[in-house]
Amino acid sequence: MTEAPTLPDRLPASTYRLQMGPEFRFADAAATAPYLTALGVTDCYLSPILAAVEGSAHGYDICDHNRVNPALGGEEGFASFASELNARDMGLVLDFVPNHMGIDVEGNLWWRDVLENGPSSPYARYFDIDWNPVKSELRGKLLLPILADQYGVTLDNGELQIEFRQGAFSLRYGSQHLPLNPRELRILLRYNLDALKATLPEDDPDLNEFLSILFHFDHLPPYTDTDPAAMTERSREKEVAKRRLAQLAESSEPIRRHIESNVRRFNGAPGDPASFDLLHKLLEGQVYRLSSWRAAMHEINYRRFFDINALAGIRVEDPELFRAAHELLLRWIHAGAVTGVRLDHVDGLFDPAGYFCKLKQEFGRSVYLVVEKILAADEQLSPDWAVHGTTGYDFLNKLNAVFVDPGGQREFIKLYAKFTGNKRAFRDIVYSSQKLIITTSMASELKVLAAELNRISESNRHFRDFTLDSLQAALVEVVACFPVYRTYFNSEGYDEFDQQNVDLAVREALRRNPAMEPSAFEFIRQMLLPVRLSGLSDEEYQRRVRFAMKFQQYTGPVKAKGLEDTAFYRYGPLISLNEVGGDPSRFGAPPWSFHQANLERQQRWPASMLASSTHDAKRGEDARARINVLSEMPKMWREMISQWSRINASARTMLQGEPAPDRSDEYFFYQTLVGAWPAVLSAPDDEFVRRMRAYMSKATKEKKVHTSWINPSREYDLAVENFVERILVGARSRAFLKGFLPFQQRVARFGLVNSLAQLTLKLASPGVADFYQGAELWDFNLVDPDNRRPVDFCRRRQMLDELLPLVEGSVEPTAASGALSEMLESWPDGRIKQYITAVGLRLRQRNPELFVKGAYIPLEASGDRRDHVVALARAFGRNLVVAIVPRFPVRLAADGPWLPVGGALWGSTAVEIPEAWAGFEFRNMLTRETFLPETEVTARLPLAIALGSSPVALLTAAGEGILS
């Protein structure tokens, strides 16, 4: 018998994600609480709220884990917001970032201390820094790639300047003020010292104090000395010396003039390169080595969040850092202000399982804990993790697949290949995309791994013949072929999942590279699955363990950047499949696949989140639902894009003999337009054009073919911008829009059916129903920052207030049915979606055990339209809920009405139910209508009644023997 899953002390029935930022603070969030309560939301779910880089729009660049972000309202604002939620008995789920920090030199005091004191800083152990990289010039130094140009050019331009203010030295670059190594200040202070001595008597007290301070600086331990006693001495004495110098400069004009004169001399004169020699010498003695931001691709020696130089990986596995980074969070947990935690980017952690276990121990009770974990198509969340589930991408993709018609796959692949000229298989595109990331933006991290692998090989005579180059080349191939985001080997060993995926990667790497030495791949395989062999010392074994675990931290970012942020923009027969955690080569799935996933979640992870839109999604749920409609109409889609492409030929720009945008980008854009077109927009306005321009700029740069973030092509970027403008608002836009708008509006109507169907299934599925801000109305947003635009909560509250009598069931069934029909007729205003959301959330709120512990029962349909139905039931005690939705609305409608409602459409099609339910009276919570099942042959719910006036149904019933 399967052991019942552990549930948290407080389990949300639903969560609602709010994106916090300078434009949406705690006071704004508190003002939304009454609306969320009325909507039926049980728990508020906030993006990160800890102190971040000044001006941060998202909060993931945390600089201080123990301070509330002042830009959001600070501690006082948070306390007021938490009090508002508590008064409403609402929980608070907080997004927490354990993998990395923003390294703003002013905001992150830990990082600033490392820049000043290097390995001798007490905080050096907090960051994942390789102080012994391959490049000898970087030994004991930290590469700091913050310069817009090369170091020598920047220096000679006078852009690096020493400043001496209020007795303290810093190095200014732009708006940044970097600390200087205190021990090396003696170079600047001693310069022209004889001239200073000549102006003052030998027994001058200020001069003697100055010489004493120089002696003090001379005898500070070097920053490379990591002996605990030396570290303590340096930490203490540098502050004493700096304080003495500040006091002396304040009180002694000759000393101050000497320092200021030297600062001017060291700062050089643009146009005279030799004048910067002194400054260069001083900078050579710093902990950090300044470089162009481009150098990070190959030489950076601190682990980053993906390839973002401004986000440094932290070693949360270190007990001291764990305590320091979680102090405030734990205080909130113990006080009950925070009732749940969403953990960001857990695949970046050194030992995720160990971290979750430690966190659970520190919580002291069962706190709702979900992880941002992207599961590959057939991957399961590890049962050993002390968490309650994922943030819901696995659900999103299973749900989305139900509404993609597999029958259109062959036509779409053929059409895509013909239109774009791209005939490559998706797996090959993923391989080349991941390899591109490995050898460009994340090459430096690979070098660190290869160097460590080479050291391991050199320490063992059986492996020492492998060269660094051969090992690095083999590592590139293994990572490029890795089938999942990462494995999870730790000090406890590895399991079948780890072994299978390492073996798959090695086999695929060998298949793609038959000319490479097989033994190098076998060596890597052994290092990624280390075992304690006889004759292997504990030191050697631990070194292998550490290498394997560091390797695992690398494959996740490569997979994310290569798959989601590159391949998804290079391959797009149907871009609704190109979603985080998705697989575009899997063209839809039957309902049983969705049911199977729900059954497994119910048994193993009943508290996992059910997401359909998120802040990281590639497109909003309703844009995705529209694009899914195209899968049902491949022939019409082919005709449309062929027509549009001919009309828009003159809108393209010729660059080096090739049209820009290329055919792949053009095809991608047409799908985007179909999905993102606002429901109430009859002609493009300035805002929509701006959004489309910005989105296509991002999409083409992520694609990394003609332009990229690292090497932007102004010509291609401009060509894409012009194309967007010309076909939407240019002189020839009328011809395009004349053909586009009728087709888009037809797709939009069928997309509405898909949208309401996926919403209804989400509301009834096992797990915690999660809603992204604003998505209770139509969500046609695109990837961030488009999906982080402000949400009009006042409008949503006004709309809900008008719907409340209907939501609360205080109107007669006839009136309710009529009101629902009216909402369907005026569907562009979004009320129909908000109404179903509110009804479903309140149903969950009233029956939490039904949706958490209740049995999950897949239901089959019978009749001519059975393939167009997805139905499920949830049962607990005497309570029963049945959800029934349509699928493939285009084929369902054929030549009939587009809305799948009424007996004429459904005929004799029915949902089969257990005989035990035959005598129950069912109520459709959306229309308030009641009816009895048919029982002539078997117990059935006829769709002519269940979907008689609504395209979807949420039915309730009550009685004894539901599960018998």
Side-chain angles (χ1 to χ4, degrees):
M1 183 176 178
T2 305
E3 183 179 347
T6 302
L7 296 174
D9 294 343
R10 178 195 169 92
L11 176 61
S14 60
T15 52
Y16 191 99
R17 168 86 174 201
L18 293 173
Q19 290 296 119
M20 308 300 293
E23 304 302 317
F24 192 86
R25 297 155 51 90
F26 292 125
D28 303 302
T32 67
Y35 165 68
L36 298 182
T37 302
L39 193 63
V41 172
T42 65
D43 290 65
C44 202
Y45 165 29
L46 297 189
S47 64
I49 63 170
L50 300 179
V53 172
E54 186 175 353
S56 173
H58 48 74
Y60 284 97
D61 44 5
I62 290 169
C63 289
D64 187 342
H65 286 87
N66 293 306
R67 188 164 59 93
V68 180
N69 194 337
L72 306 182
E75 186 73 45
E76 184 178 342
F78 173 75
S80 179
F81 170 66
S83 178
E84 175 69 21
L85 294 187
N86 184 62
R88 297 178 175 279
D89 194 29
M90 293 184 75
L92 174 57
V93 179
L94 188 61
D95 196 342
F96 187 77
V97 186
N99 170 70
H100 57 269
M101 294 184 75
I103 49 175
D104 174 72
V105 74
E106 304 293 341
N108 192 329
L109 299 184
W110 294 347
W111 183 254
R112 186 174 185 85
D113 196 275
V114 172
L115 294 184
E116 183 181 51
N117 300 297
S120 72
S121 167
Y123 307 112
R125 60 191 290 184
Y126 289 9
F127 297 95
D128 214 342
I129 300 170
D130 179 14
W131 294 105
N132 189 32
V134 174
K135 186 168 181 173
S136 59
E137 292 83 357
L138 281 174
R139 304 276 169 84
K141 285 187 176 289
L142 180 67
L143 186 76
L144 204 58
I146 63 172
L147 306 181
D149 206 334
Q150 293 193 8
Y151 166 74
V153 174
T154 306
L155 183 71
D156 290 353
N157 285 342
E159 296 176 57
L160 298 171
Q161 296 281 286
I162 297 172
E163 288 192 354
F164 183 65
R165 290 185 179 180
Q166 297 177 335
F169 286 96
S170 66
L171 177 70
R172 179 176 58 80
Y173 174 68
S175 62
Q176 302 185 62
H177 289 79
L178 306 174
L180 291 169
N181 177 5
R183 197 168 188 262
E184 297 304 305
L185 289 177
R186 56 193 177 161
I187 296 175
L188 183 146
L189 296 174
R190 272 205 168 85
Y191 185 77
N192 222 6
L193 183 60
D194 288 343
L196 174 66
K197 289 180 178 179
T199 64
L200 296 171
E202 189 174 327
D203 59 351
D204 183 86
D206 290 341
L207 175 62
N208 287 328
E209 171 65 0
F210 186 65
L211 295 175
S212 174
I213 292 170
L214 288 177
F215 182 84
H216 204 157
F217 280 126
D218 284 341
H219 289 81
L220 287 177
Y223 72 77
T224 52
D225 193 337
T226 56
D227 177 78
M231 290 172 63
T232 300
E233 180 184 344
R234 178 184 170 92
S235 180
R236 180 186 65 245
E237 295 303 321
K238 70 179 177 64
E239 293 303 318
V240 173
K242 287 194 292 184
R243 188 164 54 248
R244 290 175 62 194
L245 181 63
Q247 291 170 349
L248 180 61
E250 176 69 22
S251 61
S252 172
E253 185 176 345
I255 300 298
R256 185 170 62 255
R257 282 202 309 267
H258 169 75
I259 295 173
E260 291 172 346
S261 174
N262 286 358
V263 166
R264 286 192 297 272
R265 179 66 183 85
F266 272 62
N267 280 340
D272 180 8
S275 68
F276 293 99
D277 290 349
L278 289 171
L279 180 55
H280 172 64
K281 182 181 177 182
L282 179 66
L283 294 182
E284 287 292 274
Q286 301 309 308
V287 170
Y288 47 84
R289 178 183 171 120
L290 295 170
S291 75
S292 159
W293 62 272
R294 292 177 181 273
M297 290 191 291
H298 300 287
E299 292 187 346
I300 201 165
N301 58 331
Y302 60 87
R303 182 173 64 87
R304 299 167 292 173
F305 173 72
F306 296 133
D307 57 356
I308 303 174
N309 297 342
L311 297 177
I314 56 175
R315 300 180 61 250
V316 76
E317 67 273 12
D318 181 271
E320 183 180 310
L321 172 59
F322 181 94
R323 288 192 299 273
H326 293 81
E327 180 183 334
L328 182 57
L329 175 66
L330 291 174
R331 195 191 321 153
W332 283 338
I333 292 286
H334 296 150
V338 171
T339 57
V341 179
R342 179 252 198 204
L343 294 172
D344 179 65
H345 189 53
V346 297
D347 274 349
L349 301 177
F350 186 66
D351 180 14
Y355 172 71
F356 305 147
C357 185
K358 175 67 173 173
L359 205 55
K360 184 179 180 181
Q361 291 173 356
E362 293 295 326
F363 285 164
R365 57 189 176 86
S366 184
V367 173
Y368 183 55
L369 190 64
V370 290
V371 293
E372 187 214 16
K373 166 58 191 162
I374 300 167
L375 299 166
D378 300 313
E379 183 181 356
Q380 298 290 331
L381 193 63
S382 172
D384 297 330
W385 285 8
V387 301
H388 294 107
T390 72
T391 54
Y393 278 112
D394 42 337
F395 173 79
L396 182 156
N397 285 288
K398 289 292 185 183
L399 175 66
N400 187 63
V402 172
F403 302 100
V404 176
D405 187 352
Q409 179 167 8
R410 175 176 288 187
E411 287 292 324
F412 264 81
I413 299 301
K414 267 176 56 179
L415 169 60
Y416 185 70
K418 183 177 180 180
F419 189 91
T420 67
N422 182 3
K423 299 180 181 180
R424 297 177 66 198
F426 181 63
R427 64 182 295 187
D428 294 331
I429 292 174
V430 173
Y431 165 76
S432 60
S433 297
Q434 292 183 178
K435 196 167 180 178
L436 175 69
I437 296 301
I438 295 165
T439 55
T440 55
S441 61
M442 296 193 68
S444 55
E445 288 87 347
L446 180 83
K447 283 185 176 180
V448 171
L449 285 172
E452 180 58 21
L453 188 61
N454 185 61
R455 294 184 194 110
I456 293 173
S457 73
E458 289 290 348
S459 68
N460 189 308
R461 65 176 183 268
H462 296 103
F463 306 132
R464 74 177 193 181
D465 286 354
F466 295 123
T467 65
L468 174 60
D469 287 346
S470 67
L471 290 176
Q472 182 162 312
L475 265 180
V476 167
E477 295 301 323
V478 171
V479 176
C481 295
F482 222 72
V484 292
Y485 281 75
R486 65 167 283 175
T487 48
Y488 297 94
F489 167 86
N490 60 19
S491 57
E492 302 295 318
Y494 59 86
D495 60 16
E496 185 179 358
F497 170 83
D498 299 327
Q499 182 171 341
Q500 283 180 351
N501 285 289
V502 169
D503 287 347
L504 278 171
V506 170
R507 283 201 301 270
E508 180 66 8
L510 278 167
R511 185 188 72 80
R512 289 184 180 273
N513 299 276
M516 292 181 69
E517 173 56 48
S519 59
F521 290 102
E522 176 55 29
F523 171 60
I524 290 173
R525 181 191 173 280
Q526 291 180 32
M527 296 307 104
L528 296 181
L529 300 169
V531 293
R532 288 186 182 272
L533 301 172
S534 60
L536 186 69
S537 70
D538 184 64
E539 180 181 355
E540 288 178 292
Y541 173 69
Q542 292 302 329
R543 191 167 194 175
R544 295 182 184 188
V545 167
R546 178 164 178 79
F547 170 78
M549 296 178 74
K550 294 298 293 179
F551 174 88
Q552 293 175 151
Q553 285 181 289
Y554 181 65
T555 58
V558 168
K559 175 69 74 176
K561 295 298 294 180
L563 176 64
E564 299 162 29
D565 293 344
T566 306
F568 278 2
Y569 294 94
R570 293 183 169 193
Y571 180 87
L574 190 72
I575 60 174
S576 56
L577 298 171
N578 297 27
E579 193 50 84
V580 179
D583 182 352
S585 65
R586 296 192 175 197
F587 211 88
W592 65 259
S593 177
F594 173 71
H595 290 315
Q596 183 61 39
N598 275 351
L599 283 165
E600 291 176 357
R601 188 182 323 103
Q602 171 64 19
Q603 294 165 6
R604 300 178 183 179
W605 307 102
S608 195
M609 278 185 171
L610 308 175
S612 46
S613 287
T614 79
H615 64 287
D616 278 334
K618 296 302 181 185
R619 49 196 54 83
E621 60 194 56
D622 301 310
R624 200 182 312 120
R626 284 177 173 179
I627 296 168
N628 286 341
V629 171
L630 302 179
S631 69
E632 298 184 64
M633 47 172 66
K635 292 181 180 178
M636 182 174 288
W637 175 240
R638 182 181 65 231
E639 293 170 5
M640 289 293 100
I641 60 170
S642 297
Q643 177 190 118
W644 301 339
S645 184
R646 288 193 301 271
I647 292 171
N648 296 329
S650 63
R652 295 189 286 268
T653 303
M654 296 303 293
L655 295 178
Q656 299 177 340
E658 296 293 331
D662 69 17
R663 298 279 279 180
S664 171
D665 291 336
E666 184 179 0
Y667 185 95
F668 187 95
F669 183 51
Y670 291 146
Q671 292 186 79
T672 299
L673 277 182
V674 168
W677 197 273
V680 293
L681 189 67
S682 58
D685 57 19
D686 290 344
E687 181 191 8
F688 184 70
V689 174
R690 179 192 56 76
R691 287 177 56 213
M692 293 303 101
R693 266 202 326 262
Y695 176 71
M696 286 305 295
S697 175
K698 177 167 183 171
T700 52
K701 286 184 172 65
E702 296 283 24
K703 183 181 175 184
K704 305 173 188 69
V705 173
H706 305 288
T707 184
S708 69
W709 299 114
I710 294 174
N711 292 304
S713 165
R714 182 54 190 154
E715 292 82 4
Y716 194 83
D717 294 343
L718 186 59
V720 172
E721 287 182 21
N722 288 339
F723 181 77
V724 172
E725 288 198 17
R726 286 167 182 167
I727 74 169
L728 292 180
V729 292
R732 294 185 57 81
S733 62
R734 181 175 297 181
F736 166 65
L737 293 174
K738 182 179 179 181
F740 171 79
L741 284 175
F743 176 79
Q744 192 282 329
Q745 288 162 6
R746 182 167 189 254
V747 170
R749 288 193 294 269
F750 289 121
L752 154 75
V753 178
N754 281 346
S755 291
L756 300 185
Q758 70 181 4
L759 169 63
T760 304
L761 291 180
K762 179 169 85 168
L763 288 165
S765 290
V768 175
D770 176 49
F771 287 79
Y772 184 64
Q773 61 174 25
E776 66 274 24
L777 300 187
W778 302 125
D779 179 9
F780 304 125
N781 291 315
L782 299 169
V783 74
D784 72 288
D786 191 66
N787 63 12
R788 302 191 193 204
R789 290 174 298 139
V791 173
D792 188 346
F793 284 107
C794 289
R795 172 173 169 251
R796 284 163 173 76
R797 180 64 213 239
Q798 290 170 358
M799 292 172 64
L800 184 60
D801 285 345
E802 294 175 6
L803 290 173
L804 280 181
L806 195 61
V807 171
E808 293 168 349
S810 58
V811 299
E812 293 298 318
T814 303
S817 180
L820 190 138
S821 296
E822 188 275 326
M823 283 188 278
L824 287 168
E825 282 294 320
S826 56
W827 67 266
D829 63 21
R831 285 180 300 149
I832 182 64
K833 188 182 182 189
Q834 187 185 45
Y835 171 63
I836 294 174
T837 299
V839 170
L841 287 180
R842 285 166 172 249
L843 188 60
R844 278 181 158 265
Q845 190 178 39
R846 290 194 303 269
N847 303 276
E849 289 188 311
L850 174 66
F851 291 97
V852 175
K853 300 178 181 178
Y856 182 89
I857 306 164
L859 299 176
E860 296 288 337
S862 61
D864 293 344
R865 307 294 183 125
R866 61 183 177 275
D867 292 337
H868 290 277
V869 182
V870 183
L872 61 90
R874 307 300 307 283
F876 184 80
R878 299 181 73 254
N879 294 321
L880 175 67
V881 168
V882 175
I884 305 173
V885 305
R887 67 196 288 249
F888 305 155
V890 178
R891 290 202 284 116
L892 185 60
D895 296 325
W898 64 270
L899 199 59
V901 170
L905 175 71
W906 291 108
S908 62
T909 305
V911 169
E912 305 291 325
I913 60 174
E915 291 295 332
W917 304 355
F920 294 168
E921 181 180 68
F922 285 84
R923 178 186 296 274
N924 189 338
M925 297 302 293
L926 303 178
T927 64
R928 303 296 163 175
E929 298 168 324
T930 60
F931 65 96
L932 295 172
E934 289 182 351
T935 57
E936 289 182 10
V937 180
T938 59
R940 299 156 28 105
L941 299 175
L943 297 194
I945 298 175
L947 301 182
S949 55
S950 171
V952 297
L954 268 177
L955 310 177
T956 60
E960 300 294 340
I962 283 177
L963 296 176
S964 61

